[in-house]
């Protein structure tokens, strides 16, 4: 298959995803309105609490509203990278589409990746609305640049890797029926310890070390430094000190760690996905009725 | 190029049988722990295929028949690379299916029974088929042309813009067949091609397989429960029972080999149970079918026997002794269904 044909296939998956998403029109509109409501809530909290914690946000420019909006924007897209592969396979598994698709000459890993694009596009649309609303509410950041884009996409790939590992558990661990152990752990750590709502330095030392197991931590730190604060500046993650000693800035340290993370997790995830499908083909459990 | 397009050699396939936990025991996020524990409690295995071997020649139409649970679908899925066999060798058009499944899938198209359920309800019929054509590597223009062509073949072109949920069950089966016809491949695997179709359309599909696919030089392997379909379509027929092929050959070869006899057909009024029991005890009878009509007043006996004339005389004697009224009697050649019943046995009916 060449790239153009692959993109055509992806286009069909996106098309079907959007038809499903917009099938209940009122729900669709309410979902978009919800984005604005969530942001307005955050703006109120930020204006009330911002002045009390802004002194902790020196490395990130000191503006709590910008701090939290940037975190939530990144989180929205990183979260979908975590969940999309699995929910896409599960949807095809319970919707009985997986076997008929597998009867065609298509690479399973390509299929899973293509399945995942629809939810990613959906969250991108919502994120855009989120950002535009935030700008209307007074969000001010430095302009996007290559470094922030590279950091984000490296983090996104790392999350996609975890998402694919989570998807592989569907067959490898028979993790169906509402359970998703990998994603569950990653989401909890990301929400609680990665510095999404508050700076990491308010957490105990062991929590800060634990926060390093998810890519979110590095992405939040680097993006906030690049777009709100300064690339250099005091380190906020415990592992930064190792890199600072080597002459790296905290942002570069984040980027290197994310690249290592993605470099390990992505090949592992593709290996596990392949093994998962192999197991399903051996056990005859590719589809729920087979 | 080998003259055999499919080689199946000594294939074994078994499914592990795990202890299941009932509904209501789901623990949400911890469900997988429960699933893993229960999956470790193996309760044995189901042996679906036990050393199956056969070869299918190029351009041949090959039927696999057998009772429910005999292993037909498992066998088709193993050939179609949708199941990995435990042991054995499967080759399609010179490609080892287990080692190179993607390469093998490019040489065949599989239509499973109930595959209509796998079509995407949010895409129209033509979009679904275009997607499958793209998955087979055709460019977009060719995919559109093929989708249109196969919808014509299965008589659904007037519903091209509808989604699959708007189709009747027969139309859905036709859509599944359309997926099978979307790619130009040398081998088609069709699991029960006419199940759920009305007689007129079932005949159209059979004729399409028999004439058009034969003309295009395509090899077809199909499973069916309809013996007349196997006899009409197939060049050779394999009968599978309990995971083993127990008979293989042309319809005529199977008839000659397994039914050394003929069929005696008798239609009569008032055939009582005692008379039937006596008839069943006649020595030369291989198999007997009893059909009641008109609330049991009219009975048709279809008897496969090694000695047709003597059996006919004996049966007529018994019926007359029990005051039955004979309406019709005839001796004919056995059909494939008779062969099937003789081989597979009464318990599978």
């Amino acid at each position: 298959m060449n790239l153009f044909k692959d993109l055509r296939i992806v286009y069909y998956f996106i098309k079907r995803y959007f038809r499903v998403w917009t099938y209940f029109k009122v729900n669709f509109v309410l979902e978009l309105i919800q984005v604005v409501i969530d942001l307005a809530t955050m703006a109120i909290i930020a204006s009330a609490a911002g002045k009390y914690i802004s002194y902790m946000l020196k490395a990130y420019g000191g503006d709590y509203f910008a701090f939290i909006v940037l975190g939530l924007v990144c989180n929205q897209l990183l979260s979908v990278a975590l969940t999309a592969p699995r929910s896409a396979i599960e949807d095809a598994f319970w919707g009985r589409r997986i076997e008929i698709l597998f009867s065609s000459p298509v690479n399973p890993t390509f299929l899973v990746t293509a399945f995942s694009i629809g939810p990613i596009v959906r969250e991108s649309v919502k994120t855009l609305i989120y950002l535009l609303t935030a700008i209307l509410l007074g969000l001010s950041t430095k302009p996007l640049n290559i470094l922030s884009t590279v950091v984000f996409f490296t983090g996104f790939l790392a999350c996609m890797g975890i998402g694919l590992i989570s998807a592989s558990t569907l067959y490898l661990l028979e993790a169906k029926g509402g359970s998703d152990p990998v994603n569950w752990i990653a989401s909890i750590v990301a929400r609680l310890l990665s510095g999404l709502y508050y700076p990491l330095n308010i957490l105990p030392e062991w929590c800060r070390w634990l926060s390093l197991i998810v890519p979110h931590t590095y992405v939040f730190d680097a993006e906030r430094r690049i777009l709100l604060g300064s690339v250099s500046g005091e380190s906020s993650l415990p592992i930064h000190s190792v890199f600072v000693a080597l002459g790296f800035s905290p942002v570069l340290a984040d980027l290197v760690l994310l690249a290592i993370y993605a470099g390990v997790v992505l090949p592992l995830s593709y290996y596990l996905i392949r093994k998962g499908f192999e197991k399903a083909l051996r056990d005859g459990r590719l589809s729920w009725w087979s | 190029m080998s003259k055999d397009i499919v080689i199946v050699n000594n294939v074994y396939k078994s499914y592990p049988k795990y202890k299941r936990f009932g509904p209501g025991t789901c623990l949400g996020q911890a469900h997988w722990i429960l699933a893993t524990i229960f999956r470790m409690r193996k309760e044995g295995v189901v042996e679906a295929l036990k050393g199956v071997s056969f070869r299918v020649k190029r351009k041949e139409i090959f039927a696999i028949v057998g009772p429910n649970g005999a292993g037909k679908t498992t066998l088709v899925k193993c050939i179609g690379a949708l199941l990995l066999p435990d042991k054995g060798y499967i080759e399609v058009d010179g490609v080892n299916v287990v080692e190179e499944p993607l390469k093998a899938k490019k040489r065949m198209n599989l239509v499973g029974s109930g595959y209509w359920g796998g079509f995407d309800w949010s895409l129209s019929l033509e979009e679904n088929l275009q997607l499958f054509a793209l998955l087979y590597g055709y460019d977009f223009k060719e995919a559109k042309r093929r989708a249109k062509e196969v919808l014509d073949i299965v008589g659904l072109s007037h519903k091209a813009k509808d989604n699959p949920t708007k189709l009747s069950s027969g139309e859905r089966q036709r859509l599944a067949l359309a997926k099978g016809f979307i790619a130009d491949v040398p081998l088609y695997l069709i699991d029960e091609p006419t199940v759920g179709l009305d007689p007129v359309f079932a005949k159209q599909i059979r004729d399409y397989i028999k004439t058009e696919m034969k003309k295009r030089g395509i090899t077809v392997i199909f499973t069916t429960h309809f013996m007349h379909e196997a006899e009409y379509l197939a060049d050779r027929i394999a009968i599978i029972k309990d995971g083993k092929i127990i008979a293989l050959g042309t319809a005529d070869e199977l008839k000659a080999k397994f039914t050394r006899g003929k069929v005696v057909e008798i239609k009569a009024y008032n055939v009582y149970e005692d008379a039937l029991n006596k008839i069943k005890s006649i020595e030369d009878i291989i198999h007997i079918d009893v059909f009641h009509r008109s609330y049991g007043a009219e009975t048709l006996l279809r008897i496969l026997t090694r000695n047709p004339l003597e059996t006919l005389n004996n049966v007529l004697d018994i019926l007359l002794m029990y005051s039955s009224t004979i309406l019709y009697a005839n001796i004919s050649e056995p059909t494939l269904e008779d062969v099937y019943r003789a081989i597979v046995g009464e318990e599978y009916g």
Side-chain angles (χ1 to χ4, degrees), chain B residues 145-348:
Chain B
R145 192 193 67 73
R146 281 180 174 274
K148 195 172 173 305
E149 186 184 296
V150 294
L151 282 171
D152 276 342
I153 291 169
V154 298
L156 288 174
S157 44
H158 62 294
K159 296 200 169 180
K161 304 279 178 202
D162 287 346
N163 70 45
T165 54
K166 291 185 180 168
L167 303 181
S168 68
S169 55
E171 286 172 333
R172 286 171 182 173
Q173 176 64 8
R174 287 197 244 168
L175 179 62
L177 286 169
K179 183 260 169 191
F181 301 148
I182 200 78
D184 248 341
V185 286
L187 173 67
Y188 281 69
L189 301 167
I190 313 177
D191 196 11
E192 302 186 34
T194 58
V195 71
L197 296 183
D198 65 73
V200 176
F201 199 76
K203 187 177 179 313
Q204 276 180 38
I205 290 297
R206 281 186 210 116
D207 289 345
Y208 181 78
I209 293 171
K210 185 138 183 107
T211 54
E212 188 59 28
M213 294 178 103
K214 196 91 180 162
K215 200 167 80 190
R216 283 160 59 187
I218 293 165
T219 311
V220 180
I221 298 178
F222 71 100
T223 69
T224 186
H225 283 115
F226 306 127
M227 294 307 127
H228 67 280
E229 185 168 273
E231 192 166 3
Y232 175 68
L233 285 178
D235 298 317
R236 282 192 306 149
I237 298 153
I239 300 179
I240 186 168
K241 182 185 168 186
D242 294 333
K244 286 180 185 163
I245 289 187
I246 52 172
L248 175 65
T250 64
D252 288 341
E253 282 168 0
L254 293 177
K255 283 177 201 169
K257 191 172 174 188
F258 291 98
T259 59
R260 291 184 187 91
K262 296 201 171 185
V263 173
V264 172
E265 272 187 335
I266 297 166
K267 200 188 278 181
Y269 274 138
N270 304 325
V271 178
Y272 301 107
E273 203 58 41
D274 289 349
L276 277 177
N277 288 337
K278 266 209 148 142
I279 291 168
K280 281 176 186 169
S281 65
I282 296 173
E283 207 175 278
D284 289 327
I285 291 177
I286 301 165
H287 180 81
I288 180 165
D289 278 325
V290 183
F291 304 98
H292 293 293
R293 281 189 202 150
S294 310
Y295 300 102
E298 185 186 306
T299 302
L300 173 71
L301 301 173
R302 210 162 179 286
I303 304 163
L304 181 66
T305 172
R306 291 179 200 95
N307 195 341
L309 272 177
E310 203 178 313
T311 303
L312 179 64
N313 283 335
N314 287 340
V315 172
L316 290 177
D317 284 348
I318 292 166
L319 289 175
L320 290 172
M321 198 167 77
Y322 281 87
S323 308
S324 300
T325 312
I326 315 292
L327 300 172
Y328 161 86
N330 185 37
I331 295 175
S332 61
E333 291 295 325
T335 63
L336 190 64
E337 185 134 356
D338 297 313
V339 176
Y340 177 81
R341 282 170 185 275
I343 298 174
V344 171
E346 184 68 37
E347 72 270 29
Y348 289 99

